[in-house]
PDB file of all heavy atoms in Angstrom:
ATOM      1  N   GLN A 322      -4.730 -16.802 -24.997  1.00 81.00           N
ATOM      2  CA  GLN A 322      -3.719 -16.859 -26.068  1.00 81.00           C
ATOM      3  C   GLN A 322      -4.355 -16.609 -27.408  1.00 81.00           C
ATOM      4  O   GLN A 322      -3.637 -16.627 -28.426  1.00 81.00           O
ATOM      5  CB  GLN A 322      -3.057 -18.214 -26.052  1.00 81.00           C
ATOM      6  CG  GLN A 322      -2.301 -18.506 -24.857  1.00 81.00           C
ATOM      7  CD  GLN A 322      -1.704 -19.860 -24.788  1.00 81.00           C
ATOM      8  OE1 GLN A 322      -2.173 -20.758 -25.583  1.00 81.00           O
ATOM      9  NE2 GLN A 322      -0.783 -20.134 -23.891  1.00 81.00           N
ATOM     10  N   GLY A 323      -5.673 -16.467 -27.428  1.00 85.00           N
ATOM     11  CA  GLY A 323      -6.372 -16.211 -28.754  1.00 85.00           C
ATOM     12  C   GLY A 323      -7.723 -15.593 -28.354  1.00 85.00           C
ATOM     13  O   GLY A 323      -7.989 -15.293 -27.233  1.00 85.00           O
ATOM     14  N   PRO A 324      -8.608 -15.455 -29.405  1.00 91.00           N
ATOM     15  CA  PRO A 324     -10.006 -15.046 -29.067  1.00 91.00           C
ATOM     16  C   PRO A 324     -10.569 -16.007 -27.993  1.00 91.00           C
ATOM     17  O   PRO A 324     -10.523 -17.204 -28.075  1.00 91.00           O
ATOM     18  CB  PRO A 324     -10.712 -15.245 -30.369  1.00 91.00           C
ATOM     19  CG  PRO A 324      -9.608 -15.285 -31.495  1.00 91.00           C
ATOM     20  CD  PRO A 324      -8.437 -15.901 -30.821  1.00 91.00           C
ATOM     21  N   THR A 325     -11.002 -15.333 -26.887  1.00 92.00           N
ATOM     22  CA  THR A 325     -11.448 -16.157 -25.754  1.00 92.00           C
ATOM     23  C   THR A 325     -12.817 -15.758 -25.250  1.00 92.00           C
ATOM     24  O   THR A 325     -13.158 -14.535 -25.219  1.00 92.00           O
ATOM     25  CB  THR A 325     -10.416 -15.935 -24.591  1.00 92.00           C
ATOM     26  OG1 THR A 325      -9.197 -16.352 -25.094  1.00 92.00           O
ATOM     27  CG2 THR A 325     -10.768 -16.810 -23.405  1.00 92.00           C
ATOM     28  N   LEU A 326     -13.573 -16.730 -24.849  1.00 94.00           N
ATOM     29  CA  LEU A 326     -14.922 -16.492 -24.235  1.00 94.00           C
ATOM     30  C   LEU A 326     -14.730 -16.718 -22.760  1.00 94.00           C
ATOM     31  O   LEU A 326     -14.362 -17.810 -22.312  1.00 94.00           O
ATOM     32  CB  LEU A 326     -15.956 -17.466 -24.798  1.00 94.00           C
ATOM     33  CG  LEU A 326     -17.408 -17.288 -24.242  1.00 94.00           C
ATOM     34  CD1 LEU A 326     -17.906 -15.876 -24.408  1.00 94.00           C
ATOM     35  CD2 LEU A 326     -18.296 -18.324 -24.822  1.00 94.00           C
ATOM     36  N   LEU A 327     -14.845 -15.682 -21.996  1.00 93.00           N
ATOM     37  CA  LEU A 327     -14.864 -15.741 -20.480  1.00 93.00           C
ATOM     38  C   LEU A 327     -16.245 -15.947 -20.051  1.00 93.00           C
ATOM     39  O   LEU A 327     -17.106 -15.086 -20.264  1.00 93.00           O
ATOM     40  CB  LEU A 327     -14.184 -14.492 -19.866  1.00 93.00           C
ATOM     41  CG  LEU A 327     -12.876 -14.004 -20.450  1.00 93.00           C
ATOM     42  CD1 LEU A 327     -12.487 -12.702 -19.776  1.00 93.00           C
ATOM     43  CD2 LEU A 327     -11.814 -15.052 -20.268  1.00 93.00           C
ATOM     44  N   TYR A 328     -16.458 -17.046 -19.291  1.00 93.00           N
ATOM     45  CA  TYR A 328     -17.803 -17.399 -18.797  1.00 93.00           C
ATOM     46  C   TYR A 328     -17.746 -17.275 -17.232  1.00 93.00           C
ATOM     47  O   TYR A 328     -17.211 -18.159 -16.579  1.00 93.00           O
ATOM     48  CB  TYR A 328     -18.091 -18.805 -19.249  1.00 93.00           C
ATOM     49  CG  TYR A 328     -19.408 -19.415 -18.621  1.00 93.00           C
ATOM     50  CD1 TYR A 328     -20.518 -18.673 -18.518  1.00 93.00           C
ATOM     51  CD2 TYR A 328     -19.415 -20.767 -18.364  1.00 93.00           C
ATOM     52  CE1 TYR A 328     -21.651 -19.201 -17.951  1.00 93.00           C
ATOM     53  CE2 TYR A 328     -20.534 -21.403 -17.869  1.00 93.00           C
ATOM     54  CZ  TYR A 328     -21.709 -20.662 -17.636  1.00 93.00           C
ATOM     55  OH  TYR A 328     -22.797 -21.234 -17.125  1.00 93.00           O
ATOM     56  N   PHE A 329     -18.314 -16.220 -16.690  1.00 92.00           N
ATOM     57  CA  PHE A 329     -18.401 -15.968 -15.276  1.00 92.00           C
ATOM     58  C   PHE A 329     -19.603 -16.633 -14.741  1.00 92.00           C
ATOM     59  O   PHE A 329     -20.733 -16.282 -15.198  1.00 92.00           O
ATOM     60  CB  PHE A 329     -18.354 -14.512 -14.983  1.00 92.00           C
ATOM     61  CG  PHE A 329     -17.036 -13.864 -15.254  1.00 92.00           C
ATOM     62  CD1 PHE A 329     -16.827 -13.293 -16.544  1.00 92.00           C
ATOM     63  CD2 PHE A 329     -16.050 -13.713 -14.373  1.00 92.00           C
ATOM     64  CE1 PHE A 329     -15.710 -12.684 -16.868  1.00 92.00           C
ATOM     65  CE2 PHE A 329     -14.815 -13.094 -14.642  1.00 92.00           C
ATOM     66  CZ  PHE A 329     -14.628 -12.557 -15.950  1.00 92.00           C
ATOM     67  N   LYS A 330     -19.476 -17.523 -13.730  1.00 90.00           N
ATOM     68  CA  LYS A 330     -20.620 -18.258 -13.191  1.00 90.00           C
ATOM     69  C   LYS A 330     -20.457 -18.463 -11.666  1.00 90.00           C
ATOM     70  O   LYS A 330     -19.362 -18.199 -11.158  1.00 90.00           O
ATOM     71  CB  LYS A 330     -20.787 -19.629 -13.831  1.00 90.00           C
ATOM     72  CG  LYS A 330     -19.609 -20.570 -13.663  1.00 90.00           C
ATOM     73  CD  LYS A 330     -19.824 -21.910 -14.220  1.00 90.00           C
ATOM     74  CE  LYS A 330     -20.765 -22.590 -13.289  1.00 90.00           C
ATOM     75  NZ  LYS A 330     -21.261 -23.803 -13.340  1.00 90.00           N
ATOM     76  N   THR A 331     -21.490 -18.883 -11.024  1.00 86.00           N
ATOM     77  CA  THR A 331     -21.412 -19.217  -9.550  1.00 86.00           C
ATOM     78  C   THR A 331     -22.388 -20.312  -9.279  1.00 86.00           C
ATOM     79  O   THR A 331     -23.237 -20.673 -10.145  1.00 86.00           O
ATOM     80  CB  THR A 331     -21.764 -17.951  -8.762  1.00 86.00           C
ATOM     81  OG1 THR A 331     -21.454 -18.269  -7.374  1.00 86.00           O
ATOM     82  CG2 THR A 331     -23.170 -17.586  -8.844  1.00 86.00           C
ATOM     83  N   GLU A 332     -22.301 -20.956  -8.106  1.00 79.00           N
ATOM     84  CA  GLU A 332     -23.061 -22.090  -7.771  1.00 79.00           C
ATOM     85  C   GLU A 332     -24.572 -21.854  -7.566  1.00 79.00           C
ATOM     86  O   GLU A 332     -25.386 -22.695  -7.766  1.00 79.00           O
ATOM     87  CB  GLU A 332     -22.514 -22.884  -6.612  1.00 79.00           C
ATOM     88  CG  GLU A 332     -22.530 -22.038  -5.332  1.00 79.00           C
ATOM     89  CD  GLU A 332     -21.742 -22.679  -4.183  1.00 79.00           C
ATOM     90  OE1 GLU A 332     -21.822 -23.902  -4.062  1.00 79.00           O
ATOM     91  OE2 GLU A 332     -21.088 -21.985  -3.517  1.00 79.00           O
ATOM     92  N   ALA A 333     -24.935 -20.679  -7.219  1.00 77.00           N
ATOM     93  CA  ALA A 333     -26.364 -20.377  -6.962  1.00 77.00           C
ATOM     94  C   ALA A 333     -27.074 -19.796  -8.154  1.00 77.00           C
ATOM     95  O   ALA A 333     -28.175 -19.314  -8.025  1.00 77.00           O
ATOM     96  CB  ALA A 333     -26.496 -19.412  -5.775  1.00 77.00           C
ATOM     97  N   CYS A 334     -26.463 -19.885  -9.353  1.00 82.00           N
ATOM     98  CA  CYS A 334     -26.959 -19.304 -10.509  1.00 82.00           C
ATOM     99  C   CYS A 334     -27.849 -20.282 -11.333  1.00 82.00           C
ATOM    100  O   CYS A 334     -27.342 -21.221 -11.876  1.00 82.00           O
ATOM    101  CB  CYS A 334     -25.800 -18.812 -11.363  1.00 82.00           C
ATOM    102  SG  CYS A 334     -26.226 -18.218 -13.009  1.00 82.00           S
ATOM    103  N   VAL A 335     -29.197 -20.008 -11.318  1.00 83.00           N
ATOM    104  CA  VAL A 335     -30.063 -20.876 -12.132  1.00 83.00           C
ATOM    105  C   VAL A 335     -29.805 -20.897 -13.605  1.00 83.00           C
ATOM    106  O   VAL A 335     -29.751 -21.918 -14.254  1.00 83.00           O
ATOM    107  CB  VAL A 335     -31.490 -20.527 -11.757  1.00 83.00           C
ATOM    108  CG1 VAL A 335     -32.452 -21.387 -12.562  1.00 83.00           C
ATOM    109  CG2 VAL A 335     -31.756 -20.691 -10.288  1.00 83.00           C
TER     110      VAL A 335
END
Side-chain angles (χ1 to χ4, degrees):
Q322 298 174 345
T325 304
L326 180 59
L327 305 177
Y328 171 40
F329 292 89
K330 62 174 285 180
T331 189
E332 64 190 318
C334 172
V335 176

